[in-house]
Amino acid sequence: MKKLIIILAAIAIVFFGCDSGKNKKENFGEILGDDPKLDSTQVSEELPTEAQQVLQNISSSPVEMAALLQSAGVEFSERYIAEVKDVDRYNTDFKRAVNLGILGADLGYLNMYKKTGPVMNNMQAIRKLSEELRVQQFFDFQTIKRLATNNENIDSLMYITLQSFNNMDTYLQQNGRSEISALIICGTWMEGMYIATQVLKEAQTPNPEIVERIGDQKEVIENLTTMLSYYKNNPQFKTLHDSYARILSAYDGVTKTIEQGEPEQREIDGIMVVVQNEISHVEVPDETLETIILTIEEVRNNLIRL
Amino acid sequence: MRKAIALLVIALTFMAGNAFAQSDELVNTCALNIGNATYMKDFKVKLQQSSVKPPPSSKFSILMNKGTIYKLNTCNADGYAGKVVVELYDGTKKLTTNLQPDGELKEAFGFFCQKSGVYKIRAYFKDGKEGAAVVILSFMQKK
């Protein structure tokens, strides 16, 4: 009980001490009135609402991917995540946004595996990129730092970081900066795919669940490629679009079949769950998988070298 | 999970009226109810009273993956008469809802996805009443 009170008091002091609330609102207002020079990411087209909604929700996938890897018994490896020591070289909003997405996916991976040590380095880089993209107001770095240094609060850390990314996404899309949101989403998806495909690349026997999840991403890469096509008038977006189109081509051999079945209800962990018995089966031939792995590796490494 | 998020929520309460809007407070409170599931996303719904049938609704697209059990938790904001009804769709096919045949509204329900793809969440307020609510999407990790 004493420990609990101390923790609560400490957190409260941090919040009162930094007095961030009012300032954040004021900053928020300034940003709304700002006319940021979006360098080469500035584009005139807006995404159709439906495409925006789908893409906004893709951003959570790497957490699920990391959870799948963990449940499949895959060991954590720091080799899979991007280096964070040199983010200063990302000198345009285009590069910053893509790499913010990549670092966001790495953060999800680190959190899922409860690796709080590297989380702090990752957060430093996220802080820098988010400040340069003028979206730092969505990250309470003080609290994140405090949670990261206390291993007992991993769930809270995961919650607060995911929510921060979600709120940032919503803000960007609602404030005429959907191109930045799109780039973050592209980076996030790419990193989740990179981690999973590297796991497969190094596995003696590829885990069929992970292979199927990679195959399932065909629909996502179709959506991402379509989304990027809206911005193709911009040369950087065109290059990114072409890279993602190459990944989509790598998926040519992937096939999906649906087995029909009626849903049933089951109680799981105290709640009623509808179990879908319409089951998808995704086939990824070995050669196709190899092409996907190599293409993802190449595109991802180009993105972090931007 | 519950204990850890409870600590965070209590701390965030100190910030009420500052950086966090009312809907974010509701999200934080609602996140307490997800149990051992992992938070993914929240959807905020606010709709005016309407006599139109069917009542106006908010729709969200979500990607779901085969082999994952998703959980949807709902929380209604104080001061509104409306209680949120949440439905999950695969295309035009309704898969599940928190509205029970007897009219009861469950605060949490689950969906075990066996077909990866884009699904839709439709949220509206029962009887077209004015309401504000949040829906939290989380997933349950395999043990």
Side-chain angles (χ1 to χ4, degrees):
Chain A
M1 187 62 192
K2 196 176 171 184
K3 193 179 169 191
L4 182 78
I5 292 167
I6 291 168
I7 293 169
L8 284 176
I11 296 171
I13 288 165
V14 168
F15 283 130
F16 282 126
C18 61
D19 192 30
S20 56
K22 197 177 175 187
N23 291 335
K24 272 184 185 170
K25 266 195 167 170
E26 285 167 358
N27 289 339
F28 199 81
E30 283 165 19
I31 285 164
L32 283 174
D34 200 1
D35 181 23
K37 296 282 178 286
L38 281 177
D39 54 68
S40 53
T41 57
Q42 200 157 30
V43 284
S44 55
E45 296 96 336
E46 271 300 313
L47 281 179
T49 309
E50 182 134 336
Q52 276 192 11
Q53 282 188 350
V54 171
L55 292 160
Q56 192 181 359
N57 290 291
I58 293 171
S59 57
S60 293
S61 295
V63 181
E64 277 190 270
M65 191 73 94
L68 174 66
L69 299 178
Q70 198 182 43
S71 68
V74 176
E75 294 285 320
F76 171 82
S77 173
E78 217 166 326
R79 282 181 295 113
Y80 301 147
I81 62 175
E83 284 196 15
V84 293
K85 60 184 178 190
D86 200 16
V87 291
D88 285 336
R89 71 181 182 279
Y90 302 131
N91 56 2
T92 66
D93 280 357
F94 184 94
K95 295 175 187 177
R96 290 173 191 133
V98 170
N99 282 281
L100 181 59
I102 287 174
L103 293 176
D106 286 341
L107 181 63
Y109 176 64
L110 291 168
N111 281 339
M112 193 56 77
Y113 276 87
K114 304 190 189 324
K115 301 293 177 189
T116 50
V119 161
M120 281 320 298
N121 295 332
N122 178 287
M123 279 311 301
Q124 290 292 345
I126 286 176
R127 179 176 203 158
K128 179 131 188 66
L129 294 179
S130 65
E131 281 170 358
E132 285 164 347
L133 286 166
R134 301 167 298 280
V135 288
Q136 74 277 14
Q137 69 271 27
F138 296 100
F139 298 91
D140 186 340
F141 293 103
Q142 292 274 13
T143 305
I144 291 168
K145 184 179 177 183
R146 200 160 283 272
L147 292 170
T149 50
N150 183 350
N151 276 337
E152 289 174 17
N153 290 329
I154 291 286
D155 291 328
S156 299
L157 180 63
M158 178 115 75
Y159 170 70
I160 198 170
T161 52
L162 278 173
Q163 206 199 18
S164 302
F165 269 90
N166 289 340
N167 288 341
M168 177 184 67
D169 249 3
T170 306
Y171 166 77
L172 287 170
Q173 295 195 22
Q174 289 176 351
N175 288 279
R177 297 177 73 191
S178 66
E179 71 286 353
I180 295 289
S181 169
L183 292 170
I184 293 170
I185 288 166
C186 283
T188 307
W189 178 82
M190 177 58 69
E191 188 70 349
M193 284 293 284
Y194 176 76
I195 294 170
T197 50
Q198 287 300 299
V199 167
L200 291 178
K201 187 182 173 185
E202 293 176 6
Q204 301 258 330
T205 313
N207 178 297
E209 261 191 282
I210 301 172
V211 173
E212 188 163 21
R213 183 67 61 88
I214 296 296
D216 267 335
Q217 299 302 303
K218 187 173 185 176
E219 194 173 345
V220 181
I221 185 67
E222 280 169 354
N223 276 298
L224 289 173
T225 310
T226 304
M227 174 195 69
L228 288 170
S229 70
Y230 287 102
Y231 301 117
K232 269 199 320 189
N233 289 341
N234 176 295
Q236 281 182 296
F237 271 95
K238 173 149 190 344
T239 306
L240 190 65
H241 169 269
D242 293 348
S243 297
Y244 278 64
R246 276 204 304 121
I247 298 170
L248 182 57
S249 296
Y251 269 85
D252 273 352
V254 175
T255 54
K256 187 175 184 177
T257 53
I258 306 290
E259 179 189 331
Q260 296 299 328
E262 288 303 309
E264 56 185 291
Q265 288 216 353
R266 210 183 292 166
E267 192 178 314
I268 301 174
D269 279 357
I271 61 162
M272 283 316 290
V273 174
V274 167
V275 180
Q276 184 181 38
N277 282 322
E278 191 180 339
I279 303 169
S280 61
H281 299 282
V282 173
E283 290 294 324
V284 187
D286 291 346
E287 203 175 301
T288 303
L289 182 63
E290 201 176 318
T291 310
I292 293 170
I293 291 170
L294 290 174
T295 314
I296 290 285
E297 185 175 89
E298 188 193 322
V299 174
R300 184 269 193 179
N301 287 340
N302 285 336
L303 291 179
I304 62 168
R305 276 198 294 262
L306 273 172
Chain B
M1 177 75 180
R2 194 173 297 174
K3 190 177 165 189
I5 290 181
L7 281 173
L8 187 66
V9 168
I10 294 166
L12 293 176
T13 305
F14 287 105
M15 298 174 76
N18 288 335
F20 279 72
Q22 197 180 2
S23 59
D24 287 320
E25 289 169 37
L26 189 59
V27 171
N28 290 329
T29 310
C30 205
L32 288 170
N33 303 334
I34 68 172
N36 291 321
T38 302
Y39 164 90
M40 285 178 70
K41 199 151 190 70
D42 55 79
F43 306 98
K44 292 156 190 160
V45 188
K46 192 173 181 188
L47 295 166
Q48 300 291 323
Q49 185 174 358
S50 173
S51 54
V52 176
K53 301 244 166 148
S57 61
S58 293
K59 296 182 186 76
F60 310 94
S61 299
I62 51 168
L63 261 170
M64 290 183 158
N65 288 303
K66 180 183 175 180
T68 304
I69 302 173
Y70 295 91
K71 193 171 173 183
L72 289 145
N73 285 78
T74 64
C75 290
N76 295 293
D78 289 338
Y80 294 89
K83 302 292 173 203
V84 73
V85 178
V86 179
E87 298 170 338
L88 181 68
Y89 285 85
D90 176 11
T92 55
K93 188 165 130 190
K94 185 158 78 178
L95 299 166
T96 181
T97 173
N98 66 332
L99 179 61
Q100 303 303 294
D102 63 1
E104 186 201 352
L105 285 166
K106 294 274 184 197
E107 286 180 356
F109 62 106
F111 176 64
F112 187 179
C113 180
Q114 297 267 52
K115 187 183 76 171
S116 297
V118 178
Y119 292 80
K120 279 196 165 51
I121 290 174
R122 176 173 175 254
Y124 64 94
F125 291 95
K126 202 176 171 189
D127 304 323
K129 290 180 179 166
E130 184 184 17
V134 298
V135 181
I136 294 201
L137 176 70
S138 59
F139 69 94
M140 291 150 110
Q141 270 201 273
K142 288 179 189 167
K143 287 159 188 157

